[in-house]
């Protein structure tokens, strides 16, 4: 595994600019090389401003959206129009404002059955989109991840077993603290990416960030530590507030 690259940005605006520049660069390279850009997005609150920036008049024409495929690293067990839906947030902030074909938006279809059935269906959709047979592992050009102050990423929470999954691309978990089912990608998928970027902002992450990056390996307490791309880049884009206790 390569050593993580940590980019400390002055504030959230600077972090969003850094992330937007890298999004455009990686999209251009992937589209030039393979004709499309395959990215898995994170949810929560941090990426919303980045999506709004990418959808702005200054930025949106810098990406060939017709060749971009959007996926999600996790989804809450709610309908797509629910306020907590990660797809819903992305749709309002980005998708509704750019010319991306509907078939390029691969949301987790949470209405598609039991949580386990939804997870299995999403794994099938991932493999189909990448043209893989059963058992194949997609290699994303980029996976965005957030970091929870409890050390989770995607929906691999402490108290679940998702971070120890070694076969499935996607699993369903029950998250006690939220009394909610969630669908999450696993290290099997995440660690096969060409690049993984954690986007971390705000003082609420100041204590967990150094523990995840340089603390003892404790995946049950800090599931984010299982993100170790086997043949890809791991980058941390953090703002100064979150990085205040980093060595
Ligand atoms: C989600 C996310 C989750 C998020 C972290 C950080 O569905 O909530 O995928 O993993 O990235 O919880 O969330 P914030 O960006 O809101 O701090």
């Amino acid at each position: 595994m390569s050593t993580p690259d940590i980019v400390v940005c002055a504030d959230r605006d600077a972090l969003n600019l850094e992330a937007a520049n890298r999004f455009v660069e990686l999209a251009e390279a992937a589209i030039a090389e393979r004709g499309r850009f395959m990215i898995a997005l994170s949810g929560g609150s941090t990426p919303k401003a980045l999506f709004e920036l990418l959808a702005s008049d200054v930025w949106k024409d810098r990406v060939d959206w017709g060749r971009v495929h959007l996926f999600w690293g996790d989804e809450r067990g709610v309908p797509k129009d629910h306020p907590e839906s990660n797809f819903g947030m992305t749709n309002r902030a980005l998708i509704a404002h750019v010319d991306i074909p509907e078939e390029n938006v691969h949301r987790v279809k949470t209405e598609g059955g039991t949580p386990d059935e939804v997870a299995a269906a999403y794994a099938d959709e991932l493999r189909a989109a990448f043209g893989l047979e059963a058992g194949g592992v997609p290699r994303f050009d980029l996976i965005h991840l957030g970091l929870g102050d409890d050390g989770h990423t995607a929906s691999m929470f402490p108290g679940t077993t998702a971070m120890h999954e070694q076969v499935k691309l996607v699993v369903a978990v029950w998250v006690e603290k939220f009394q909610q089912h969630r669908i999450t990608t696993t290290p099997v998928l995440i660690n096969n990416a060409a690049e993984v970027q954690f986007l971390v902002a705000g003082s609420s992450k100041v204590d967990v960030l150094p523990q995840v990056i340089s603390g003892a390996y404790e995946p049950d307490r800090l599931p984010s530590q299982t993100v170790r791309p086997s043949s890809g880049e791991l980058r941390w884009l953090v703002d100064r507030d979150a990085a205040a206790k980093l060595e």
Side-chain angles (χ1 to χ4, degrees):
M1 187 203 80
S2 56
T3 53
D5 170 32
I6 303 169
V7 179
V8 180
C9 304
D11 54 26
R12 283 179 187 254
D13 287 345
L15 189 157
N16 290 326
L17 279 172
E18 182 70 26
N21 271 310
R22 289 169 184 264
F23 185 106
V24 168
E25 282 170 16
L26 288 172
E28 280 176 355
I31 290 165
E33 288 167 33
R34 289 177 296 280
R36 61 186 191 172
F37 179 49
M38 309 293 267
I39 178 171
L41 304 173
S42 63
S45 59
T46 301
K48 182 171 178 291
L50 167 61
F51 297 157
E52 290 166 343
L53 182 64
L54 287 169
S56 67
D57 289 343
V58 172
W59 281 86
K60 67 181 175 183
D61 297 333
R62 300 186 187 184
V63 176
D64 182 355
W65 294 103
R67 293 183 176 273
V68 174
H69 286 256
L70 301 178
F71 301 80
W72 279 263
D74 74 321
E75 185 56 276
R76 287 80 178 276
V78 296
K80 66 179 181 176
D81 54 0
H82 187 283
E84 289 185 27
S85 166
N86 286 334
F87 161 79
M89 180 273 283
T90 313
N91 190 40
R92 289 187 295 275
L94 176 61
I95 297 168
H97 308 283
V98 297
D99 290 333
I100 185 168
E102 190 175 340
E103 62 272 20
N104 288 20
V105 179
H106 307 268
R107 71 178 179 90
V108 179
K109 296 180 176 61
T110 53
E111 70 278 10
T114 67
D116 287 338
E117 289 168 342
V118 170
Y122 201 55
D124 290 346
E125 173 146 4
L126 280 161
R127 289 196 171 101
F130 281 80
L132 296 173
E133 297 298 318
V137 181
R139 182 172 173 79
F140 273 94
D141 297 307
L142 176 59
I143 295 181
H144 275 165
L145 291 174
L147 174 66
D149 57 12
D150 62 356
H152 83 266
T153 191
S155 281
M156 301 191 287
F157 283 85
T160 73
T161 58
M163 56 283 201
H164 297 300
E165 177 59 43
Q166 296 189 352
V167 175
K168 294 179 181 175
L169 302 178
V170 189
V171 296
V173 294
W174 173 255
V175 185
E176 193 64 26
K177 69 191 280 189
F178 297 131
Q179 288 292 294
Q180 187 180 68
H181 282 110
R182 293 212 176 174
I183 307 300
T184 185
T185 55
T186 70
V188 175
L189 178 73
I190 295 168
N191 288 335
N192 198 44
E195 179 158 340
V196 178
Q197 290 176 8
F198 276 95
L199 307 181
V200 186
S203 54
S204 69
K205 314 297 171 72
V206 71
D207 291 318
V208 71
L209 188 62
Q211 293 178 54
V212 169
I213 291 180
S214 46
Y217 186 62
E218 300 174 74
D220 285 302
R221 187 173 73 85
L222 300 168
S224 297
Q225 290 185 321
T226 61
V227 175
R228 303 173 148 191
S230 51
S231 59
E233 296 298 322
L234 174 60
R235 292 201 156 83
W236 293 84
L237 306 185
V238 303
D239 75 354
R240 200 172 286 163
D241 286 344
K245 292 185 178 176
L246 280 185
E247 295 296 319

